[in-house]
Amino acid sequence: MRSGERFPADQAQIVFSDVFVEYLETLTEPERTSVLVDVVALCTNPVGSHPLSNRARGGRLAGWNTLDVLAKQHRVVFSSRIVDGVGVVEILCAG
């Protein structure tokens, strides 16, 4: 999604990849909670911190954004879109 766009009613389905779930398991409980709070906040700000660069040949990063978490020590890579009128946030990875 582009800057300024929002999900219907600021709600979205959040889909976690296995890689992201494994990342969460490496964190302490307070860190995990902090990351998940930031991820849920994507429902009201589906753009996150900034889009990934799309300068490489092939544009393989087009449509993926990042979200800075844990005081900018880690980033979450995600995509956000509206599918059949429903907001969807797909979490790819973090670290």
Side-chain angles (χ1 to χ4, degrees), residues 35-56:
V35 169
L36 289 173
V37 165
D38 290 344
V39 166
V40 169
L42 289 171
C43 292
T44 57
N45 179 24
V47 178
S49 301
H50 59 80
L52 286 171
S53 174
N54 196 23
R55 295 180 189 168

Side-chain angles (χ1 to χ4, degrees), residues 4-71:
E5 290 183 303
R6 299 185 74 111
F7 289 128
D10 288 337
Q11 296 181 16
Q13 175 185 5
I14 301 174
V15 180
F16 301 115
S17 71
D18 290 342
V19 172
F20 181 74
V21 172
E22 290 169 4
Y23 158 78
L24 289 175
E25 291 173 355
T26 68
L27 302 176
T28 65
E29 185 63 33
E31 289 172 331
R32 189 177 310 130
T33 299
S34 175
V35 169
L36 289 173
V37 165
D38 290 344
V39 166
V40 169
L42 289 171
C43 292
T44 57
N45 179 24
V47 178
S49 301
H50 59 80
L52 286 171
S53 174
N54 196 23
R55 295 180 189 168
R57 267 191 296 193
R60 290 175 273 172
L61 300 176
W64 293 97
N65 291 357
T66 63
L67 173 67
D68 294 328
V69 296
L70 300 176

